[in-house]
Amino acid sequence: MELFASKLRDYANNIAVVSDSGKTLNYHQLADKVDARCKEIGERRKLILVETANEIEPLVAYLAALIGNHPVILVESGATAKDSRIANTFNPEVTFLKKNGEWQFVHQHSSETTNLHPELCVLLSTSGSTGSAKLVRLSKNNIQSNADAIVEYLELSEQQKAITTLSFHYSYGMSIINSHLSVGATLLLTDDSVSQTSFWDFFHQQQATSFSGVPYTFELLQRINFTEKSYPSLQYIAQAGGRLSEDLIKEYGQWSEDHGKKFFVMYGQTEASPRMAYLPPELLNSNSDCIGIPIPGGKFKLSSNDGEEITSPNMSGELVYSGPNVMMGYANSIEDLALDSQLNELKTGDLAEVNEHGLYKIVGRKSRFSKIYGLRISLDELEIFLNKYGFTTVVTGNDDQLVIATLQKNCSEKIGELMQDRYKISPSSYTILELDELPLLSSGKVNYRELISIGEKDAADSSDFQSLLEAYSQIMGNQDIRASDCFLNLGGDSLFFIEISLVIEQKLGFLPDNWEAIAIEDLDKISQGSYGQVKTTTSNAKPWLILTFVLLFFVVGELFLQVRSYLMTGRSAFSLLDDNSTVIENKEIDVSTYRPNLKIINPENESVRISINSVGLRSPEISPTLMENESRIAIVGASTVMGAYAETNENTFPYLLSNQLKEIIDNPVNVINAGIEGHSVSDSLKLVEGIIYDLNPTMIIVYPGFNDITTLCNANNETGSKVYSLPYLQLPNWIQSKEMIRKNTLFVRDHKNSRFNSLNPNDVDPSAYRNDIEKLVVSIKQQGITPVLATVARSFNNVEPELKNELAVSALYFYHCLDLEGLLAITDLYNQQIRKVAEKHDILLIDASRSMPGGNKYFVDAGHFTLTGEQKMAKIIFDAVSDRLKSN
């Protein structure tokens, strides 16, 4: 498919661009400038990064990259100076930017080693910002087919004059450039905002025929009373980039109809180059809640949770799009730029319905939910709910707090009342922000992360109550509370218990016994030092009796846990006393193994729960001498490979794999379980070189685990950063009650830390993890053994988005420096390192993180398998290696 950029001279005398600085170029002149820039770049194909602005020179650089068949990364102006992650990750050979006041190409290096797919054309950040090094790969066919579709449904012609409202590093802005240059129309280039007089002066002077906006654009138009003014040259308005409120859709739709204009509501994502749907203007007034129909050449379907297609109207499912504009895939590394197209359809992540007229309607995001005190709240539904009462809001949040932002004034009290009536949650669980303007990404979309940060700061500022009475009233959402009331007679429950107790402790310096029965006014007297005046309903129980009971309960509970641990794993305080611990340090190879020849018996039936062989592995005894034509596989890893929750050796996936292979292979087969709990990748290397090579495996499968991530948290703690709202109990490691308390209080810990209090995954350098895996692979290959790598499966992968956070919480016990978002990001980042090593060394990759189903059926916790999970993992490995072993 020939790109529009190659046909500029077809419209030679048409005006191509007019800048707000007064410069005008026709298509012939534009083509000349593009050709000149092409010569600067050179003919050899290379990766280029262009910093964009709505000016002529960046536009020329973009077109020159397209004509020269150079894949181009588009970022905002000044991006590489502010954040170098994209440049560092993809190492572009040439960068176009403004330097010393002049736009110019800067040659960063000269390299012909980068492998670029022949169809690769444009690379964009998914969010329209430049912070993420994850890019969308768009082909020539992607961007041209989308431009052609836009031309068709907007009925564009060379008479059009489109004024810019968005930078073209953002996919929506790029699509305006591409579609208008495809038909020989005129681009009016300005970076001014629609709220500025200069924008409208330029608009009227050049007689613009259209402009496009994101939802925030229309909020600004409301402020300048757009609908009360005249725009004779305007033919249509287009909106995309997020959901616009129905009230504004109806208002602008009616205004457009009354004034002979057209109003197009559109829907898209960067992954679709970016347009997927539009609502024909003639259908808008009666279908203002719809996104409309697929663009020409595109197709929608709705998918159920089971993956089945939904064909009945008014039934919701995930919206799935197919068409020639679906991206090639994502790029997380420079190696990904060589990949073929990986998609033929796009799962949008949006929940939608289709009505009887074939119009699609978005009803929510699969991942746009918060779980507050166990109550699952759809953020989209909350926005819609508040909109019905006349409040235009942006709602975001996490599992600790909702943030409700609005540009309207003096409405917090009413919104708070609506929240109380509908959700019955503590007012401290949500923050209402009345802002003068919303924080935005450079794409014009709302910066939700910044909103959460503002909300956290606002909540912290407002938590300093002037009195206990004020604290009770605000936390419990009851303005009728009196000083003589106490927590119990107010009907207080667990939702408010912790919050109010923390406030009391802050005010008084300690938490009085039986505070729930103490009147608020009497608690205030305590804070003033008048202890003797306090009257409570406390019992006459002596404190030493209560203390004795608590200590006795603790001792009995600890004894129970130690006995339970000994019976299940052979590990307890008893093991410390008799120096017979399950795990020992093998001083010869400087790494831990299990105690050789250890057997742990199940007292219920005298069966062997855990059997350790003579070299310290939970594996059958295997002679170092290979039998004739024997296939001997060692699976290396940590506690997941060992089978932390497997009832017997026979229930671990290495043992189950051995049985499956023996059924199809006539020659001898043995599988060695070389998993040792707590092992990092570097520990696995020591184990392999010190023990496993002596067992002469023919194949080694590395399931590396994520124990290496805990080192990130240790490093983070050394900086003194606050990780939890509750401190870890400072008790000896052998006391197991401590571990039980820590695991079972995750729900009250601040696991949704702000970026100020937790490790930011964007600051993590995964190269050490990747290098350790590569050292292990290289060592295995040098021994003439076949290496195989497996990515790490987690319970929160391959599940519905709303379950991800719930399932991931248990992992925070081990990775306490991360919040949930960070944990998910780090998990993906570390698995990507495994994939990179496998690709670099051209070895078999078992992508368990993508193949293994998630959820409680397969996982005990975030990373350890149930019996069903062990069986499934064995089957995944069997499917990957069986043909190779049979052929050998």
Side-chain angles (χ1 to χ4, degrees):
M1 177 177 286
E2 188 176 10
L3 282 175
F4 65 91
S6 302
K7 300 186 289 183
L8 297 177
R9 295 190 190 277
D10 291 355
Y11 309 102
N13 295 319
N14 288 6
I15 300 299
V17 292
V18 181
S19 72
D20 57 3
S21 64
K23 190 166 186 178
T24 299
L25 296 177
N26 62 28
Y27 274 80
H28 183 81
Q29 294 168 323
L30 177 62
D32 286 344
K33 289 181 72 67
V34 170
D35 289 344
R37 288 295 189 186
C38 283
K39 291 178 181 178
E40 286 186 56
I41 301 172
E43 294 184 1
R44 180 175 57 81
R45 196 163 186 249
K46 53 182 69 75
L47 181 63
I48 297 174
L49 184 146
V50 172
E51 292 191 357
T52 66
N54 287 324
E55 300 177 27
I56 289 175
E57 291 302 330
L59 174 62
V60 169
Y62 166 58
L63 296 173
L66 297 184
I67 289 177
N69 197 27
H70 306 290
V72 56
I73 303 171
L74 300 178
V75 299
E76 66 179 316
S77 180
T80 50
K82 289 186 288 187
D83 191 331
S84 60
R85 277 173 288 177
I86 287 179
N88 290 343
T89 301
F90 296 96
N91 196 24
E93 187 171 338
V94 179
T95 297
F96 187 81
L97 46 70
K98 183 173 274 189
K99 190 174 183 181
N100 300 324
E102 181 180 354
W103 287 102
Q104 56 187 285
F105 281 112
V106 177
H107 291 261
Q108 308 291 346
H109 61 89
S110 181
S111 172
E112 298 185 28
T113 59
T114 302
N115 190 5
L116 304 170
H117 192 278
E119 282 300 307
L120 184 62
C121 186
V122 175
L123 294 142
L124 300 175
S125 173
T126 57
S127 64
S129 68
T130 57
S132 173
K134 178 181 180 180
L135 301 179
V136 170
R137 296 184 291 125
L138 300 178
S139 68
K140 301 171 189 176
N141 188 47
N142 288 157
I143 66 169
Q144 188 60 58
S145 64
N146 203 238
D148 291 343
I150 293 169
V151 167
E152 182 176 341
Y153 74 77
L154 289 181
E155 299 179 341
L156 299 183
S157 69
E158 59 188 47
Q159 282 74 42
Q160 298 295 320
K161 293 182 178 181
I163 189 168
T164 57
T165 53
L166 303 161
S167 175
F168 63 92
H169 77 278
Y170 174 42
S171 59
Y172 187 7
M174 181 195 70
S175 71
I176 295 169
I177 300 289
N178 297 350
S179 58
H180 283 78
L181 292 183
S182 290
V183 295
T186 301
L187 294 171
L188 306 177
L189 301 179
T190 179
D191 276 324
D192 288 342
S193 167
V194 295
S195 63
Q196 295 176 272
T197 303
S198 54
F199 176 93
W200 296 106
D201 289 342
F202 185 49
F203 180 99
H204 290 297
Q205 180 188 7
Q206 297 299 325
Q207 297 184 339
T209 60
S210 68
F211 73 89
S212 302
V214 296
Y216 188 64
T217 308
F218 291 84
E219 295 282 354
L220 294 176
L221 292 177
Q222 291 294 92
R223 293 188 181 187
I224 65 170
N225 300 316
F226 171 86
T227 56
E228 297 177 12
K229 300 170 186 176
S230 176
Y231 309 90
S233 63
L234 182 64
Q235 296 177 14
Y236 75 86
I237 305 170
Q239 182 271 322
R243 187 184 67 208
L244 188 62
S245 71
E246 282 190 51
D247 286 346
L248 287 179
I249 290 175
K250 291 176 180 178
E251 180 179 348
Y252 281 87
Q254 190 60 54
W255 180 88
S256 298
E257 184 176 334
D258 293 344
H259 292 80
K261 322 292 184 185
K262 292 183 178 180
F263 183 39
F264 289 88
V265 173
M266 306 184 298
Y267 168 81
Q269 293 179 358
T270 302
E271 290 85 344
S273 311
R275 198 64 52 234
M276 287 185 278
Y278 73 104
L279 182 59
E282 63 271 20
L283 302 177
L284 189 147
N285 284 336
S286 56
N287 299 279
S288 56
D289 59 346
C290 295
I291 60 169
I293 59 177
I295 64 172
K299 182 181 178 182
F300 282 140
K301 70 176 181 180
L302 298 176
S303 178
S304 69
N305 290 335
D306 298 326
E308 298 294 325
E309 184 174 356
I310 297 171
T311 56
S312 302
N314 303 314
M315 291 185 63
S316 66
E318 183 176 14
L319 187 64
V320 180
Y321 174 84
S322 58
N325 52 313
V326 172
M327 68 172 178
M328 299 175 71
Y330 293 110
N332 292 288
S333 68
I334 195 168
E335 291 82 4
D336 293 342
L337 304 184
L339 297 177
D340 289 328
S341 180
Q342 298 170 312
L343 300 172
N344 52 28
E345 62 180 21
L346 177 65
K347 295 181 178 179
T348 66
D350 284 323
L351 298 176
E353 298 174 355
V354 61
N355 65 22
E356 296 83 357
H357 307 295
L359 299 178
Y360 286 83
K361 170 186 175 182
I362 302 296
V363 296
R365 279 289 290 176
K366 292 184 73 175
S367 59
R368 284 266 295 163
F369 292 93
S370 286
K371 201 167 187 179
I372 304 292
Y373 297 126
L375 179 64
R376 190 167 173 268
I377 297 176
S378 167
L379 305 183
D380 294 303
E381 287 182 5
L382 179 51
E383 287 181 1
I384 294 170
F385 166 71
L386 293 175
N387 186 253
K388 290 180 180 179
Y389 290 89
F391 300 110
T392 300
T393 61
V394 172
V395 179
T396 185
N398 50 42
D399 288 351
D400 291 328
Q401 188 180 56
L402 298 172
V403 178
I404 304 167
T406 180
L407 300 180
Q408 295 167 256
K409 302 300 180 184
N410 303 317
C411 58
S412 294
E413 184 176 347
K414 180 60 179 176
I415 291 176
E417 291 174 1
L418 292 170
M419 291 292 294
Q420 283 297 107
D421 290 342
R422 182 178 177 92
Y423 295 106
K424 305 294 190 293
I425 59 175
S426 166
S428 61
S429 302
Y430 55 86
T431 298
I432 302 169
L433 303 175
E434 294 183 7
L435 302 176
D436 292 326
E437 57 182 4
L438 297 172
L440 302 177
L441 299 169
S442 60
S443 63
K445 291 186 176 182
V446 174
N447 187 335
Y448 288 105
R449 179 169 292 184
E450 180 65 20
L451 266 185
I452 291 176
S453 296
I454 295 172
E456 287 176 344
K457 183 178 184 303
D458 186 84
D461 292 343
S462 62
S463 64
D464 189 16
F465 302 106
Q466 297 301 310
S467 67
L468 287 177
L469 181 61
E470 179 187 344
Y472 271 71
S473 296
Q474 290 196 25
I475 292 173
M476 301 185 76
N478 184 348
Q479 300 304 312
D480 295 327
I481 294 176
R482 294 162 296 178
S484 58
D485 290 326
C486 68
F487 186 80
L488 291 179
N489 67 30
L490 288 170
D493 57 27
S494 59
L495 294 183
F496 308 122
F497 183 91
I498 293 176
E499 294 182 72
I500 291 182
S501 65
L502 290 174
V503 172
I504 294 173
E505 188 170 11
Q506 180 184 15
K507 290 286 186 184
L508 276 59
F510 70 102
L511 190 64
D513 291 336
N514 203 27
W515 66 266
E516 308 97 309
I518 301 176
I520 299 170
E521 58 189 359
D522 288 334
L523 288 170
D524 274 327
K525 291 176 183 177
I526 295 177
S527 68
Q528 298 164 13
S530 305
Y531 296 92
Q533 301 177 29
V534 178
K535 297 178 182 178
T536 74
T537 59
T538 54
S539 69
N540 293 321
K542 294 180 174 60
W544 65 268
L545 286 176
I546 297 174
L547 181 61
T548 301
F549 176 77
V550 170
L551 289 174
L552 181 63
F553 181 81
F554 176 80
V555 170
V556 172
E558 179 65 23
L559 182 62
F560 168 78
L561 291 173
Q562 294 289 349
V563 171
R564 175 176 175 269
S565 177
Y566 183 78
L567 293 176
M568 292 183 65
T569 68
R571 189 179 304 106
S572 71
F574 309 133
S575 302
L576 296 176
L577 295 174
D578 63 10
D579 193 29
N580 194 33
S581 59
T582 306
V583 178
I584 64 168
E585 190 70 22
N586 187 321
K587 295 182 179 179
E588 293 183 6
I589 61 176
D590 189 31
V591 74
S592 61
T593 67
Y594 296 107
R595 182 175 293 278
N597 302 312
L598 175 70
K599 285 186 172 22
I600 298 174
I601 307 299
N602 186 341
E604 294 181 0
N605 53 20
E606 299 300 317
S607 63
V608 178
R609 289 181 55 87
I610 296 177
S611 177
I612 306 300
N613 66 18
S614 61
V615 293
L617 304 176
R618 189 182 188 183
S619 188
E621 197 69 49
I622 297 177
S623 168
T625 304
L626 277 172
M627 293 178 281
E628 184 177 359
N629 296 322
E630 178 185 351
S631 294
R632 183 175 292 186
I633 303 170
I635 305 180
V636 177
S639 57
T640 301
V641 174
M642 174 267 189
Y645 290 89
E647 289 288 334
T648 65
N649 284 24
E650 290 74 19
N651 288 342
T652 62
F653 74 78
Y655 195 98
L656 295 167
L657 173 66
S658 177
N659 288 343
Q660 292 180 27
L661 291 173
K662 288 175 181 177
E663 291 180 3
I664 65 163
I665 299 176
D666 296 330
N667 299 325
V669 176
N670 280 295
V671 178
I672 303 168
N673 184 336
I676 306 290
E677 64 183 271
H679 268 202
S680 64
V681 176
S682 60
D683 292 333
S684 294
L685 177 59
K686 293 177 183 178
L687 183 75
V688 165
E689 292 181 340
I691 293 178
I692 305 303
Y693 288 158
D694 291 340
L695 298 176
N696 292 304
T698 57
M699 174 185 288
I700 295 180
I701 299 173
V702 180
Y703 185 94
F706 283 156
N707 286 324
D708 296 71
I709 295 180
T710 60
T711 62
L712 300 176
C713 294
N714 293 337
N716 198 45
N717 282 342
E718 289 171 4
T719 67
S721 62
K722 176 185 174 185
V723 176
Y724 276 118
S725 59
L726 296 179
Y728 278 175
L729 297 172
Q730 300 301 312
L731 296 171
N733 287 334
W734 59 266
I735 294 181
Q736 297 191 8
S737 302
K738 173 190 67 174
E739 303 303 312
M740 293 295 292
I741 294 170
R742 281 171 57 182
K743 284 186 177 181
N744 290 287
T745 55
L746 279 171
F747 72 98
V748 295
R749 295 182 184 275
D750 188 16
H751 60 261
K752 267 285 189 180
N753 294 307
S754 72
R755 287 297 180 201
F756 301 106
N757 292 330
S758 61
L759 182 62
N760 189 333
N762 293 325
D763 295 334
V764 172
D765 181 2
S767 59
Y769 183 70
R770 182 175 65 249
N771 291 340
D772 284 345
I773 295 172
E774 189 164 9
K775 287 178 187 176
L776 181 52
V777 168
V778 169
S779 176
I780 295 169
K781 292 176 75 173
Q782 288 174 344
Q783 296 294 317
I785 302 170
T786 301
V788 175
L789 282 177
T791 56
V792 183
R794 310 295 271 171
S795 66
F796 46 82
N797 288 341
N798 308 316
V799 295
E800 292 299 312
E802 56 265 30
L803 293 178
K804 270 185 177 290
N805 287 356
E806 182 179 334
L807 292 169
V809 166
S810 65
L812 295 176
Y813 168 71
F814 301 100
Y815 312 127
H816 50 76
C817 64
L818 297 169
D819 61 11
L820 289 175
E821 182 181 350
L823 173 64
L824 299 175
I826 291 290
T827 299
D828 290 341
L829 179 66
Y830 272 51
N831 269 329
Q832 188 60 23
Q833 308 315 304
I834 300 171
R835 296 186 186 102
K836 288 180 179 180
V837 174
E839 182 178 0
K840 178 178 178 179
H841 291 273
D842 193 25
I843 61 177
L844 177 63
L845 174 72
I846 302 173
D847 210 337
S849 70
R850 292 172 176 167
S851 304
M852 187 76 183
N856 296 326
K857 177 180 178 181
Y858 297 94
F859 288 86
V860 176
D861 52 23
H864 298 106
F865 300 134
T866 61
L867 176 58
T868 302
E870 299 278 0
Q871 294 167 337
K872 181 65 175 179
M873 189 64 190
K875 182 65 167 58
I876 290 172
I877 298 177
F878 173 84
D879 291 341
V881 303
S882 56
D883 288 342
R884 182 171 299 199
L885 293 175
K886 283 193 294 185
S887 65
N888 292 338

